[in-house]
Amino acid sequence: MFLSKAVLIPFALLCLGQSSTLRAQSTLAATPPMGWNSWNHFAEHVTDADVRTAADLMVSTGMRDAGYIYVNVDDTWQGSRDANGELHPNSRFPDMKKLGDYIHSKGLKFGIYSSPGPKTCGGFEGSFGHEIQDAQMYARWGVDFLKYDLCSMQDPMRELTAKNNGNTDAAFKMMIDAYRKMGDALKATNRPILYSLCQYGIAEPWKWGPEVGAQMWRTTDDIDDTWGRMTIIGLEQADLAPFAGPGHWNDPDMLEVGNGHMTTDEYRTHMSLWALLAAPLLAGNDLSKMAPEDKGILLNKEVIAIDQDSLGKQATRLYQRGDFSVWTKPLANGKVAVGMFNTALDSRDVSLDLTQIGFTQGATLHDVWENKDLGRRSGLYSRNIPKHGAALLILSK
Ligand code: GLA
């Protein structure tokens, strides 16, 4: 059958349109998502003005140009539903569409938060029973990112588990179905909305997250701004490397860098670990009060480049010896990023066996945090690492 030109051109346009939509979807989160989220600093006090100021500061501090693109409003923006079931923001957020437009006008993307349960963790309105309606509304507002937090859905899951004498299968299915429902609703909007699961690693979301349309999933319970919590989370990710890659990322939770309760060495450890883990980098600090050392950590180009490497490999732990561990992350250019972590309460002299990382003929070393070439080394590379500190190296042949 021959098709006339008049038919062929619209047909070609249709195909082009489809493939560009598909391309937009498949390149969503090609590297770990980067941005800022309101929760770790503002928590339930966040306002429209805070988010607009954060968007301004993302530009003026250089965060946007360093790759931090998403500006995400976390929990507590919601008001109540009207007679049509349409959800309205509360009085702290007068107009979400306008807020989204403002964020977009700064060359940034707009993120939002909800729950598959009737209530969010902060007790605000969730999306249960309104998934399609909410997804459509997000698309109208120009939302680019949804964090979907299990929260109150844990109640029916617990009831179901109790009814099934402790067997969690039905409860897990209920949860996965709920996440799929929102994933489908987001897809149906035809707007590329990055879908971020937050259910604290229950039922191994790294195994089913991609199937329900997610680009990232939390692997643990919440982080806080303490050395103890940050390292418990960061150093617990060793077995999850096979599940990370372009378009689908393990999320050990947002960054605490700059929130004031860790030392500079500890925040360097935090950032080094997250970069090696190819974790989403969602800053959670007050951008109006960034100390030079916090800027030095969050805006370090080489560290960001390790996180954002196009190969998308998550680091694995080469070994752990007492308080010292070594992690390696292969990079697209054939080099290897190496993290040396000292979790002890005092500084330590430690050594790295380069042959163990595959550099049997020696390697050229670059120290990322010191921004210093260390020249050729072979066999054992020894150095001192401060208490709770990290060294981040790039090794090449
Ligand atoms: C949960 C999430 C946090 C944050 C709060 C908001 O605890 O894990 O990241 O979103 O809810 O209530």
Side-chain angles (χ1 to χ4, degrees):
M1 190 180 90
F2 293 97
L3 293 172
S4 74
K5 249 191 188 163
V7 175
L8 267 176
I9 290 167
F11 179 70
L13 283 177
L14 193 73
C15 293
L16 253 182
Q18 275 178 343
S19 68
S20 61
T21 309
L22 281 179
R23 206 165 38 240
Q25 278 166 1
S26 62
T27 53
L28 205 54
T31 60
M34 291 175 68
W36 176 88
N37 173 295
S38 60
W39 186 254
N40 284 355
H41 176 72
F42 290 100
E44 71 275 20
H45 305 295
V46 67
T47 65
D48 175 277
D50 296 330
V51 179
R52 284 171 189 252
T53 303
D56 295 343
L57 288 162
M58 292 290 273
V59 179
S60 60
T61 57
M63 290 285 282
R64 179 196 65 187
D65 292 344
Y68 295 87
I69 288 296
Y70 291 96
V71 173
N72 295 351
V73 182
D74 206 275
D75 200 357
T76 76
W77 61 267
Q78 308 87 336
S80 48
R81 293 188 187 275
D82 63 23
N84 300 319
E86 196 74 11
L87 179 59
H88 296 270
N90 61 43
S91 57
R92 283 179 289 120
F93 287 89
D95 189 326
M96 293 304 259
K97 167 86 174 77
K98 282 199 180 135
L99 176 59
D101 289 347
Y102 186 79
I103 291 170
H104 290 147
S105 76
K106 302 275 161 183
L108 295 159
K109 291 181 182 288
F110 176 31
I112 212 168
Y113 167 102
S114 190
S115 170
K119 294 285 174 206
T120 67
C121 296
F124 287 69
E125 196 67 19
S127 290
F128 180 73
H130 296 272
E131 294 81 1
I132 295 172
Q133 193 173 18
D134 286 0
Q136 295 290 335
M137 178 182 73
Y138 303 148
R140 283 200 304 280
W141 287 350
V143 165
D144 305 295
F145 183 117
L146 173 69
K147 171 174 170 183
Y148 208 43
D149 193 350
L150 188 62
C151 304
S152 65
M153 177 154 271
Q154 287 174 102
D155 299 337
M157 286 172 66
R158 277 189 206 105
E159 281 164 27
L160 204 52
T161 304
K163 208 170 104 196
N164 292 327
N165 303 315
N167 185 314
T168 52
D169 291 354
F172 286 175
K173 184 177 180 311
M174 172 195 255
M175 172 183 68
I176 294 169
D177 286 349
Y179 275 95
R180 183 176 293 113
K181 196 167 195 177
M182 183 51 95
D184 290 347
L186 292 176
K187 259 183 237 146
T189 67
N190 278 326
R191 184 179 172 84
I193 299 178
L194 197 154
Y195 188 28
S196 164
L197 311 189
C198 176
Q199 39 79 276
Y200 339 116
I202 297 170
E204 305 180 311
W206 42 91
K207 296 194 175 154
W208 49 267
E211 273 166 49
V212 303
Q215 283 78 33
M216 56 188 267
W217 44 82
R218 279 270 297 276
T219 55
T220 69
D221 222 324
D222 292 16
I223 195 166
D224 61 36
D225 188 18
T226 61
W227 164 257
R229 187 72 197 133
M230 183 276 289
T231 44
I232 283 179
I233 291 181
L235 296 168
E236 176 181 272
Q237 308 295 311
D239 299 333
L240 299 182
F243 303 99
H248 51 98
W249 307 102
N250 294 309
D251 173 16
D253 208 355
M254 303 176 289
L255 296 169
E256 292 283 4
V257 177
N259 281 334
H261 294 100
M262 287 189 241
T263 65
T264 300
D265 279 330
E266 291 172 341
Y267 282 139
R268 277 189 178 186
T269 294
H270 184 11
M271 188 76 179
S272 304
L273 256 174
W274 263 238
L276 287 164
L277 293 171
L281 298 179
L282 294 170
N285 56 323
D286 180 354
L287 297 167
S288 70
K289 297 197 176 78
M290 274 175 94
E293 48 281 14
D294 302 329
K295 281 195 180 163
I297 294 172
L298 286 169
L299 294 170
N300 186 300
K301 285 201 169 72
E302 282 189 272
V303 181
I304 292 173
I306 293 172
D307 179 78
Q308 294 291 301
D309 185 72
S310 62
L311 197 59
K313 292 269 186 207
Q314 176 172 327
T316 50
R317 185 170 45 212
L318 188 67
Y319 55 80
Q320 170 98 41
R321 283 182 198 139
D323 292 321
F324 176 58
S325 65
V326 174
W327 295 65
T328 61
K329 178 187 199 292
L331 303 173
N333 59 9
K335 299 181 182 183
V336 180
V338 178
M340 299 166 77
F341 295 96
N342 171 22
T343 52
L345 279 167
D346 47 17
S347 71
R348 291 280 161 93
D349 291 320
V350 290
S351 307
L352 182 66
D353 183 352
L354 299 174
T355 58
Q356 255 192 305
I357 312 175
F359 292 90
T360 48
Q361 308 300 314
T364 300
L365 268 58
H366 175 75
D367 185 317
V368 173
W369 287 117
E370 301 301 325
N371 190 19
K372 203 163 108 192
D373 289 330
L374 303 174
R376 287 291 303 167
R377 307 287 175 123
S378 55
L380 283 186
Y381 165 65
S382 303
R383 67 179 291 158
N384 184 272
I385 303 195
K387 160 191 171 179
H388 290 182
L392 197 52
L393 305 171
I394 301 282
L395 270 55
S396 48
K397 283 238 155 64

